[in-house]
Amino acid sequence: MKAKIVIDVPGLSTTVQDLGRWGLQGLGVPLSGAMDPLALAAANSLVSNLPDAAALEISYAGPTFKVQENSVRLALVGAGACLKFDDGRIIQANQSVTAHAGDTVFVQASRAMPFTILAVAGCLDLPETLGSRSTYARGAFGGFEGRALRSGDIITVTGSIPDPTDIELSGNIPYGEGPIGVLLGPQADYFHAESIAQFLSSEYEVTTDSDRMGMRLTGQPLQHARGYDIVTDGVANGSIQVPGNGLPMILLSDRQTVGGYPKIGTVISRDLPRLAQMRPGRKIRFQAVSLEEAIAARRAQARSMDMLVQDTRPVGRPGTVNIPRLYTDNLISGVANLDSDYHRLGHVE
């Protein structure tokens, strides 16, 4: 079955994003992809899509669209966001809902986070470019004609079979909390020890000069020990460059693939979604962690996300039994290891 969505008002910036195009940075192709892959996975889980399926990423102001043909299953994820239907229905974020042909839907984006995700059950019928449907607007490729959506754009959705049961997340996305974790380096030796200590003890503020490419911070400038020019080398998602003005810049999804400023550290992958969802004016502190700690934190977050997306429940029925979860966790994994100390103490694994 095919459904069509017609964009009436595009919002400030609404683009198609999945998890980006991996393996091409050596050719100078940016990764792109959703700024918050956790929100992308959560929204997709509510409409029975794979976690990396392409969805709409909405920045600050949401779009208004009309369902032109058939019905579509929708799920919005973003703190405080909601869907408003022309028939008066208001559907809060973190749950699924069906929009029928003729419905006009206004997306009220999150007021606490810069990026809200709207997933649509099925597949956005857009061609893959270099293995991804993500929009890279600076290069004008991917997504919908390589750009943000405009009024009059029509998106076809294939394979959408609306489920009559509305479901919701049973918990919150595990973004983590506290200072943003960083791995120091690879050019930490370009900074005095006092500057590194200052970087880890100071508070920085997210500026309005931030976008999908990177986040600029303001605060006490850092002092370079060996100048601020290096031989250009590769950069990663979360690389923290420090240019000549001494103010850190954090590279994000639409970053370039190489850079010529020394990098004092890199934000660990667990904290990248939380960082990306910080609006201008938010205060940030950094904390150095080891590689082992970074890996453990990411694994713990992945386990929590697995639990979250498996533990959906019918809307408005807290406390109901999640049958799929019951079968997969309590029965399939409920095999007792008779040799374990844990079992001998009277527990069942």
Side-chain angles (χ1 to χ4, degrees):
M1 186 180 74
K2 288 188 177 181
K4 289 187 177 179
I5 292 173
V6 183
I7 303 299
D8 184 12
V9 179
L12 181 62
S13 178
T14 301
T15 61
V16 175
Q17 301 291 343
D18 53 23
L19 288 185
R21 28 191 78 81
W22 292 79
L24 299 173
Q25 294 181 81
L27 302 175
V29 180
L31 180 64
S32 297
M35 291 285 279
D36 182 353
L38 301 181
L40 178 71
N44 275 323
S45 74
L46 291 170
V47 293
S48 301
N49 286 350
L50 293 174
D52 60 348
L56 300 184
E57 182 184 88
I58 298 156
S59 181
Y60 292 104
T64 299
F65 60 87
K66 184 172 184 176
V67 181
Q68 190 178 64
E69 294 181 9
N70 293 317
S71 300
V72 291
R73 192 84 174 149
L74 307 172
L76 189 70
V77 169
C82 67
L83 298 174
K84 296 181 178 179
F85 287 71
D86 56 346
D87 61 7
R89 285 181 295 163
I90 298 177
I91 307 299
Q92 301 299 327
N94 299 340
Q95 68 181 70
S96 60
V97 65
T98 298
H100 301 286
D103 283 347
T104 295
V105 185
F106 165 68
V107 181
Q108 180 173 301
S110 172
R111 293 174 179 172
M113 306 157 68
F115 299 102
T116 301
I117 294 290
L118 178 66
V120 184
C123 179
L124 303 181
D125 190 18
L126 298 169
E128 288 190 351
T129 302
L130 300 175
S132 168
R133 292 185 173 87
S134 283
T135 307
Y136 180 57
R138 282 185 168 81
F141 64 84
F144 192 99
E145 299 179 357
R147 58 172 171 78
L149 297 180
R150 299 172 183 165
S151 297
D153 287 344
I154 299 176
I155 298 177
T156 300
V157 182
T158 61
S160 175
I161 304 176
D163 186 322
T165 304
D166 296 335
I167 60 174
E168 63 183 356
L169 299 177
S170 60
N172 298 319
I173 294 176
Y175 285 111
E177 56 186 12
I180 296 294
V182 296
L183 287 170
L184 293 177
Q187 283 102 27
D189 59 336
Y190 272 69
F191 300 88
H192 295 292
E194 293 80 5
S195 288
I196 294 176
Q198 176 188 326
F199 170 69
L200 296 174
S201 61
S202 299
E203 188 174 72
Y204 293 92
E205 181 176 315
V206 180
T207 73
T208 56
D209 193 13
S210 302
D211 57 17
R212 285 182 47 85
M213 183 175 180
M215 174 183 287
R216 290 184 181 272
L217 304 177
T218 186
Q220 189 67 28
L222 302 175
Q223 299 297 318
H224 296 84
R226 299 170 54 189
Y228 53 85
D229 287 321
I230 63 170
V231 175
T232 298
D233 65 359
V235 296
N237 199 7
S239 288
I240 306 172
Q241 292 183 321
V242 183
N245 64 8
L247 296 176
M249 300 187 302
I250 307 175
L251 303 182
L252 300 172
S253 293
D254 278 356
R255 67 191 179 279
Q256 72 279 16
T257 57
V258 295
Y261 295 124
K263 296 171 282 294
I264 195 170
T266 303
V267 176
I268 64 174
S269 57
R270 181 198 63 180
D271 289 343
L272 279 170
R274 177 161 58 107
L275 178 82
Q277 291 287 20
M278 291 182 175
R279 296 171 65 104
R282 284 286 303 271
K283 302 293 196 302
I284 297 177
R285 286 185 177 275
F286 297 101
Q287 181 179 38
V289 300
S290 67
L291 178 60
E292 292 75 18
E293 290 171 328
I295 292 172
R298 180 68 186 91
R299 286 176 173 168
Q301 184 183 57
R303 288 193 295 270
S304 296
M305 273 303 295
D306 286 345
M307 293 285 291
L308 180 68
V309 300
Q310 291 178 34
D311 199 22
T312 56
R313 63 190 179 194
V315 172
R317 297 176 59 190
T320 54
V321 176
N322 186 320
I323 297 301
R325 178 72 182 281
L326 176 69
Y327 286 167
T328 56
D329 284 9
N330 290 2
L331 299 183
I332 294 177
S333 63
V335 178
N337 179 356
L338 299 179
D339 294 326
S340 73
D341 293 333
Y342 194 62
H343 180 264
R344 283 194 288 272
L345 291 172
H347 298 282
V348 176
E349 295 178 342

